Amino acid sequence: LTIHSDRKIDYVHIEDFRPSGTEPVEALRSYRWDAGLYYYMVTRDQSTDYYIERMPEGTFVLSYDLNVTQKGDFSGGISRIQSYYAPEMACQTGGVKLMVGE
């Protein structure tokens, strides 16, 4: 996930829906420091959620590892980002297609 922020934003929620046919490598909830952000990461059944108390201005890249569980053509999920206290500040990505061969 690549996030571009042109201003400081407090209390941000990012929801990243995983592609079908994949499972996260790590499933533990934890606080993390990565890409210049301190956040709480939660792995759910169909998404990975990030809770960020303070997001400074800049560009940030968040990532996590997935295992492919079966071959085939799958739809990738969307990602959403939204401020809790200013819900009009929100963005959503389009879906992607994942093709897994042998």
Side-chain angles (χ1 to χ4, degrees), residues 3-18:
I3 304 160
H4 303 284
S5 177
D6 62 353
R7 66 190 77 171
K8 295 180 204 174
I9 305 171
D10 291 338
Y11 302 104
V12 174
H13 175 228
I14 300 170
E15 189 173 24
D16 182 41
F17 290 95
R18 289 186 296 278

Side-chain angles (χ1 to χ4, degrees), residues 74-86:
F74 303 101
S75 295
I78 61 170
S79 298
R80 281 186 263 197
I81 184 169
Q82 185 173 24
S83 170
Y84 273 109
Y85 294 116

